[in-house]
Amino acid sequence: MNLGYDDLDKSISEKLKSIYLLYGDEQYLIDATIKKIKKKFGELVQGINYIIIDETNVNHLIDDIESPAFGYEKKLIIIKNSGLLKKDGRKKTATPIQEKISEYMEKNKEIIEELAILVFCENEIDKNIIYEKIEKNGVICNIQELKTYQLIKKLKGVCNLYKINVDEQTLNYLIEVSGTSLQNLMNEIRKLIEYAGENGTITIDAGNLLATRQIESVIFDLTDNLAARKIDKALEVLDNLIYQKEPLQRILVTLYNHFKKVYLCSIAVKNNKDIVNSLNLKPNQSFLVTKYKKQSSYFKENELRKILDELSNLDYSSKIGKIDIDVGLRSVLCNYCG
């Protein structure tokens, strides 16, 4: 059975099921769900009624299910990044351990339900034979990043707990500069809450002062300066990224992906296509459409293609030792403004 996050949360509050599979992009919510399951389960004694399984001891899973909980009715078993939900990359088939556990889950549903609660946690999954058994006998939830309004609701709720005032515009701005990961946003809002103090107010100015900007947000600034032919400002943004110890290869890849989206946006606008789909944006990234449309208007299509070609050539040349990435990036930026 597949459930959305809200339905999963409600289900756990009512009664724990015997098997769960939690996966997706939003690790913060996955961790929060595991905490809720633990709290609902009750007292936990590691090694007795609380077992953690990963890829190093996944062969012990069946034994751990069937071994006594010594004074407890059931045991809670967390199976995290075990490899059980991935296909064999070479054979595209089930591994012996996957086949063994899949067969066990099929033939021993009553034993599992009586003795244990299994919680599988993975970043990514394949719909293999283990997935099929969980879908048939348990609960599956793909926990994706929240939409913007949901993020704002979460952040607003945290602020209310600490008696901090904040408006929706400020929270929208925080999401724009710090990204859509709830874990990152929780870290940022806690800094701002501490800065504001009880009964204080979080402002955009405070966000500018304290919030950690994601590299994708910073690249928008670099591109704005490049479009305005302000090469000194563009290089200043690059220098700041390097000073903050962003790896040069990551800066190059992010810059390439950014200009690719600007280029695709330009084509989408010209052909009256949906920009969200053309750029493959997540539902909580729709606010980026306006920013990409604005930046695409700054560049001609052939200019964008040239920049993409130069960044692609730089990636290849740097990998064969022909040019240093730092030097190459500055050269690409200066060439455009030259």
Side-chain angles (χ1 to χ4, degrees), residues 9 20 39 50 52 118 133 148-149 153 163 168 173 175 189 224 228 234 256-257 264 270 280 296 303 317 337:
D9 196 53
Y20 292 93
K39 184 176 181 180
Y50 178 49
I52 300 174
L118 309 181
K133 296 299 181 294
T148 302
Y149 78 90
K153 184 179 177 180
K163 300 179 180 178
E168 187 171 320
Y173 177 75
I175 292 167
I189 204 69
D224 281 338
Y256 178 85
N257 288 334
L264 291 174
K270 184 172 70 174
N280 196 26
S296 69
E303 290 176 329
S317 297
C337 292

Side-chain angles (χ1 to χ4, degrees), residues 246-290:
E246 284 289 354
L248 284 166
Q249 186 65 40
R250 187 181 180 211
I251 295 173
L252 171 57
V253 171
T254 306
L255 194 59
Y256 178 85
N257 288 334
H258 178 81
F259 272 103
K260 183 178 178 181
K261 282 186 167 66
V262 175
Y263 175 66
L264 291 174
C265 182
S266 175
I267 294 174
V269 169
K270 184 172 70 174
N271 294 287
N272 200 27
K273 299 290 185 180
D274 181 74
I275 295 174
V276 171
N277 289 331
S278 297
L279 273 58
N280 196 26
L281 298 176
K282 296 177 182 178
N284 59 9
Q285 293 178 315
S286 58
F287 65 89
L288 292 174
V289 168
T290 301

Side-chain angles (χ1 to χ4, degrees), residues 295-312:
Q295 289 204 336
S296 69
S297 68
Y298 295 154
F299 298 88
K300 296 177 182 177
E301 192 174 311
N302 65 316
E303 290 176 329
L304 291 169
R305 288 188 64 88
K306 183 179 179 183
I307 291 172
L308 287 171
D309 287 342
E310 289 182 351
L311 291 172
S312 179

